[in-house]
Amino acid sequence: MRVKAVARLMVAALGVALGVVAPIGSGAAYADGVVGLGIDAYAEMVVDSAHGRLFFSQGRQRSGVRVTDLSGGAQRTIPDLPGASGMALSPDGSTLYVALADADAVAAIDTTTLAEKRRYSTGASTCPTWLAPAGGKIYIGYGCQSGKGKLGSIDVRGATPVVALDLPLNGQYYYPPLLRSTPANPNLLLLVNRSSVSFPISGEPGLYDVSSGTPSHVASLAGETCTGLHDAVLTADKVILGCSYLWDPQSNSRVVAAEHVAFSAADLSPAGTYPSGTWPTAVTTSPNGSFIVLGASESDSIHVERPDGTVVRRYALPPGNHLQVRGLAVSADSRTLYAVTTDQDRKNPALRVLTDFGTTGSSLLLSAPTTSTRAAPLTVQGKLAFVGATVSTPWTLKVAKQDITGGHPLPDVTTAADGSFSFSDTPLVGAANTYTVTFPGDATHPGTSQSATVQVSRAATALSVTAKATTGRRASVTAQLGATYTNRTVCLYAQPYGQARKTLTCGKVDGYGKLMATYPTYQRVTFSASFAGDERYAPAEASVRTYGFLWKPGVFRGY
């Protein structure tokens, strides 16, 4: 197979100027904002469209799975999941299975409540790392020692779950094999050797038929075909690989890959290529089978193509941003593309949401500073674009702002002849200020909108809480609140040792900034106070712990 030379994609000028995901090539798609995920590492992403959630695992030496809504908001963490790595939804969507590489187990998470409902042990020193549902089971790529990657499975269909390890494999896997499956061919399982550009090893792609309950080898690729494999996807009829290097039989050597390569899902015979840029990093498909989405780290671009190779979209990431390995996923309705990127130091994973990536229409690109000082001016920039046509006349756009006090219409903005625009605002309210620009559309151009959020600074206020033992085995608890703007409400809480926190009272402080309550102290108690913040002052919390009570005047008894 001859590797084609693919020119590196040029970053669109608007992307350079504004720091947004810029669509280039065959038309534009809607580009929503970037949202930090609040994690310091990334392993895999799962989209649960039915419950409106995204799941992000962080890999070895981390604990927990990050959960957001489909826009990256409402962030929370499912705790106590050591080494959470590979994840897979059950076919009915009711359970998220999470491989716990640091706990030698697979956790089952209820996708409605987000509670862990069961944990399946895989035995000591197994390090389960990757998962895929196939043939009615959950298959596991596991192994703690280099050169000893193995395959196992969990069958939860019966009254008693069955864990099987050391299933027969054709070939050797240096690491726990990365697993891929597809609902379009539910009895087929793909195993690959995952590695990196700096330490490339053979990808060893292998297909297995699991219809009988025991993996039966179908086909494998020669070891030198693909090395430094980052990601893979299995479709109804193809296996698509993202390899750092490909074997060139004409030069009898391996060469740097500038495209993803495809093979038949029947026998792994060659089935074409998908140009994607140097060092292919990630690949996924839309559930309806209409699109293949590919990413490359060297060009830092995302390509949307049809199965026949027709290019639909190409997105260039802002300079200094990098697409993560295995960092692509598509929603169940095949309309929204999710991408995980990192900064120039390949840290701080963030989510980028690209909506209607497979359709034509209007698009708005928007950029704003991520932070700003309250009562200081800031500028929002953007550009209106049409698919298949050039913006050549000015257009009027609607602008609105949402802050913690509510929604506020701002003056309309008129684009320049090329569709670019900017406007300024001086936010007087701290916390999140979200600016939404709307193109109303007309008879020939569909309307669209775009939002950008700026975190506006707020001053810190003083908040303290004290607890004084009184007779009668009670404590007098006092919160002291400093300067604020409009909110003078404080809440007091008590949390006895080993119990849940209880609300003592919530109310406005007195003229001296104090709010008081009493509480029985029969055991060790932590008292806390909270201030929710207001337009100018940030939220605050304080706590104090007591260790005894006043038995009688002059006699203190502790715990």
Side-chain angles (χ1 to χ4, degrees):
M1 182 187 309
R2 182 71 175 176
V3 178
K4 303 176 184 177
V6 179
R8 182 174 178 178
L9 295 172
M10 295 181 63
V11 178
L14 182 64
V16 175
L18 303 184
V20 297
V21 178
I24 58 180
S26 300
Y30 303 92
D32 295 352
V34 57
V35 181
L37 292 173
I39 55 180
D40 64 358
Y42 168 81
E44 195 162 52
M45 166 174 47
V46 165
V47 180
D48 181 7
S49 297
H51 295 94
R53 294 190 177 113
L54 303 174
F55 298 94
F56 305 88
S57 60
Q58 302 177 64
R60 299 295 301 269
Q61 300 179 351
R62 306 291 192 280
S63 183
V65 168
R66 195 68 163 165
V67 187
T68 75
D69 61 24
L70 295 177
S71 299
Q75 297 187 5
R76 59 182 295 185
T77 298
I78 305 174
D80 191 29
L81 298 174
S85 298
M87 301 181 292
L89 280 176
S90 61
D92 65 1
S94 65
T95 304
L96 176 73
Y97 294 97
V98 184
L100 306 181
D102 294 338
D104 295 326
V106 174
I109 307 297
D110 187 305
T111 51
T112 299
T113 64
L114 299 183
E116 182 177 343
K117 53 187 181 181
R118 187 148 188 175
R119 184 169 291 194
Y120 305 95
S121 173
T122 54
S125 301
T126 49
C127 304
T129 305
W130 304 110
L131 303 176
K137 301 179 181 181
I138 300 297
Y139 281 86
I140 313 164
Y142 72 96
C144 297
Q145 296 181 352
S146 298
K148 294 185 178 181
K150 296 184 178 183
L151 180 67
S153 67
I154 303 175
D155 190 347
V156 298
R157 292 172 293 184
T160 302
V162 178
V163 177
L165 299 178
D166 205 10
L167 298 176
L169 291 176
N170 184 74
Q172 183 180 19
Y173 291 88
Y174 194 81
Y175 298 116
L178 179 66
L179 309 181
R180 292 292 184 254
S181 60
T182 174
N185 194 343
N187 291 318
L188 198 61
L189 183 66
L190 172 68
L191 282 71
V192 297
N193 244 334
R194 177 188 56 88
S195 59
S196 64
V197 174
S198 57
F199 183 56
I201 61 175
S202 170
E204 298 287 344
L207 282 173
Y208 291 83
D209 184 336
V210 297
S211 58
S212 69
T214 300
S216 174
H217 181 248
V218 175
S220 294
L221 285 177
E224 69 274 9
T225 303
C226 163
T227 53
L229 188 148
H230 285 133
D231 200 2
V233 70
L234 178 63
T235 73
D237 60 353
K238 291 181 181 179
V239 170
I240 303 173
L241 307 176
C243 312
S244 301
Y245 303 95
L246 297 172
W247 186 258
D248 179 13
Q250 295 187 23
S251 63
N252 198 34
S253 64
R254 70 180 189 184
V255 294
V256 173
E259 57 199 357
H260 285 67
V261 289
F263 301 88
S264 168
D267 57 8
L268 290 182
S269 57
T273 61
Y274 295 93
S276 55
T278 307
W279 309 128
T281 302
V283 57
T284 191
T285 60
S286 60
N288 65 6
S290 297
F291 305 103
I292 297 170
V293 186
L294 316 108
S297 62
E298 181 68 15
S299 58
D300 286 321
S301 58
I302 301 171
H303 298 223
V304 181
E305 303 180 20
R306 298 199 180 277
D308 64 1
T310 302
V311 176
V312 178
R313 296 281 183 274
R314 292 182 182 178
Y315 296 94
L317 296 176
N321 286 254
H322 304 283
L323 179 66
Q324 278 288 86
V325 174
R326 300 177 302 279
L328 294 173
V330 177
S331 61
D333 62 5
S334 300
R335 293 189 58 185
T336 304
L337 171 62
Y338 302 97
V340 177
T341 62
T342 51
D343 59 22
Q344 61 184 1
D345 297 320
R346 300 189 184 275
K347 297 180 180 180
N348 301 314
L351 174 70
R352 295 180 183 272
V353 183
L354 307 174
T355 59
D356 290 324
F357 65 92
T359 64
T360 59
S362 310
S363 69
L364 275 170
L365 298 176
L366 200 62
S367 179
T370 56
T371 60
S372 184
T373 302
R374 194 189 67 81
L378 61 85
T379 299
V380 179
Q381 299 174 293
K383 189 169 186 177
L384 173 67
F386 301 140
V387 174
T390 301
V391 177
S392 57
T393 58
W395 294 85
T396 299
L397 309 176
K398 300 291 184 181
V399 183
K401 178 175 69 173
Q402 181 81 25
D403 57 33
I404 60 175
T405 67
H408 314 280
L410 298 181
D412 293 348
V413 62
T414 300
T415 71
D418 65 353
S420 61
F421 63 89
S422 67
F423 62 88
S424 297
D425 182 50
T426 302
L428 300 179
V429 175
N433 280 242
T434 300
Y435 296 90
T436 300
V437 178
T438 301
F439 170 59
D442 63 8
T444 58
H445 303 99
T448 185
S449 64
Q450 180 62 274
S451 298
T453 298
V454 181
Q455 293 294 336
V456 178
S457 65
R458 288 187 283 180
T461 188
L463 178 66
S464 63
V465 60
T466 57
K468 181 179 180 181
T470 63
T471 56
R473 293 190 175 185
R474 302 188 70 83
S476 175
V477 187
T478 303
Q480 179 75 54
L481 180 65
T484 63
Y485 182 54
T486 58
N487 183 14
R488 299 295 293 167
T489 297
V490 168
C491 290
L492 280 171
Y493 307 92
Q495 185 172 10
Y497 178 73
Q499 299 182 30
R501 190 171 78 164
K502 305 173 183 179
T503 302
L504 299 183
T505 185
C506 289
K508 289 186 177 180
V509 297
D510 61 21
Y512 298 97
K514 295 182 178 181
L515 180 71
M516 300 180 67
T518 61
Y519 187 76
T521 54
Y522 293 96
Q523 55 187 329
R524 184 169 59 189
V525 181
T526 297
F527 295 102
S528 57
S530 68
F531 166 65
D534 59 23
E535 297 95 317
R536 297 185 182 181
Y537 286 84
E541 288 196 5
S543 64
V544 67
R545 182 175 294 173
T546 63
Y547 294 91
F549 62 91
L550 196 64
W551 176 253
K552 59 184 179 180
V555 180
F556 181 82
R557 290 192 175 181
Y559 299 103

